[in-house]
Amino acid sequence: DLDASFSQNHLVGGATLEHHTTRVTQRATYALAISEQRSTNLILDAPYTPTYGSSRAPFEFTDFTYDNGSTFRRHHAGYQGDLRLSHGGAFAGVEVLTVAVDWDGERGSLEDFLYGGVTTPSRNNVGATLQHQHVSGRLAVTTGVRVEDNASFGTSLVPRISAALLAHGGGATWGATKIKANAGTGIKEPTLRQSFSLSVFDLGNPDLKAEESRTWDIGLEQRLFADRAKVELVWFDNTFINQINTRTVSFSPYTAQYFNV
């Protein structure tokens, strides 16, 4: 479709301020991401059947006119503090306690220049994380929990735990043997486009739920020949809930909308 066009412009910038002492690391961050895009097709072409070489589509395609534009701005501000402590005893090693707070402010403007209509969605997200990490000569364990408060789907709790055990120190030929495992949950908000788009090709759905995941994995890592080779076997088990996709809800007029699978 030679008269159709699509353009994108992106601008990303940010600044980070860090402060380090022997035991404490602090980091404050601000970032701004701007994304603009325009999708245009003003000339209605005759129906056609796509072909490529000897291949031919099994049905006819129909053209549509459209002229949509959008601008998205995402502000991010965050703080992270890490406290690092070393100790002896039966579990001699290092303890790291992390506290983090983040804010994301999303601002958007979506407009249909051909048929009229504009929407200016706005959404805020606040998250807080508490994490503890233990690292010793043979064992590393990380436990953490994050709380997300989002204007679209409310408040969610997402925990996670990771562990790695050096089961065998190894030698020159048969090297170190490590057992490792992870388990946790995840959450991902719908984008502003998925929630509020005006285009009939990807119409927004303000009732979208957040995508969620539950994952765990366990693995064995074996090093060989003075670390010149490594053999690793990992089992992953991932469950995804409410994944976001599009589906056709009308052929006349044509309309496709985001929905939760």
Side-chain angles (χ1 to χ4, degrees), residues 52-95:
Y52 182 76
S54 60
S55 300
R56 184 178 180 85
F59 50 84
E60 188 178 67
F61 279 62
T62 303
D63 194 18
F64 303 91
T65 56
Y66 52 85
D67 189 7
N68 302 301
S70 60
T71 300
F72 300 107
R73 291 179 173 84
R74 189 181 190 101
H75 302 267
H76 172 80
Y79 168 82
Q80 178 175 324
D82 299 301
L83 174 63
R84 181 185 180 92
L85 299 172
S86 301
H87 62 88
F91 297 96
V94 177
E95 312 294 329

Side-chain angles (χ1 to χ4, degrees), residues 8-11 33-37 70-74 109:
Q8 282 189 330
N9 296 291
H10 301 279
L11 177 66
I34 302 175
S35 175
E36 297 178 344
Q37 69 180 45
S70 60
T71 300
F72 300 107
R73 291 179 173 84
R74 189 181 190 101
S109 175

Side-chain angles (χ1 to χ4, degrees), residues 106-210:
E106 296 179 275
R107 310 291 182 259
S109 175
L110 301 96
E111 187 168 359
D112 188 327
F113 298 103
L114 190 62
Y115 300 106
V118 61
T119 182
T120 55
S122 176
R123 181 167 61 196
N124 292 297
N125 181 73
V126 178
T129 300
L130 180 63
Q131 177 179 284
H132 171 259
Q133 185 177 30
H134 167 82
V135 181
S136 63
R138 287 187 173 270
L139 179 65
V141 180
T142 302
T143 55
V145 63
R146 182 171 177 85
V147 179
E148 290 280 351
D149 183 56
N150 185 277
S152 288
F153 56 79
T155 303
S156 297
L157 192 69
V158 282
R160 185 168 182 84
I161 182 170
S162 301
L165 173 66
L166 186 64
H168 175 65
T173 302
W174 190 260
T177 304
K178 183 189 295 184
I179 302 171
K180 52 189 178 180
N182 303 276
T185 61
I187 193 165
K188 181 176 182 288
E189 68 179 359
T191 66
L192 286 184
R193 173 170 296 281
Q194 291 169 339
S195 294
F196 303 106
S197 173
L198 297 176
S199 172
V200 295
F201 299 98
D202 61 345
L203 192 63
N205 183 355
D207 296 324
L208 286 174
K209 299 177 182 178

Side-chain angles (χ1 to χ4, degrees), residues 13-21 24-31 76-82:
T16 299
L17 179 65
E18 292 189 359
H19 176 249
H20 299 269
T21 67
V24 178
T25 298
Q26 299 184 86
R27 179 185 299 110
T29 301
Y30 170 77
H76 172 80
Y79 168 82
Q80 178 175 324
D82 299 301

Side-chain angles (χ1 to χ4, degrees), residues 183-242:
T185 61
I187 193 165
K188 181 176 182 288
E189 68 179 359
T191 66
L192 286 184
R193 173 170 296 281
Q194 291 169 339
S195 294
F196 303 106
S197 173
L198 297 176
S199 172
V200 295
F201 299 98
D202 61 345
L203 192 63
N205 183 355
D207 296 324
L208 286 174
K209 299 177 182 178
E211 295 182 322
E212 299 179 39
S213 66
R214 302 190 191 103
T215 68
W216 65 269
D217 61 82
I218 186 168
L220 178 68
E221 176 186 306
Q222 180 62 58
R223 295 182 176 269
L224 303 166
F225 311 118
D227 281 352
R228 289 185 175 89
K230 181 178 75 170
V231 178
E232 186 174 3
L233 179 66
V234 185
W235 172 272
F236 296 93
D237 187 284
N238 304 316
T239 301
F240 301 98
I241 306 166
N242 291 328

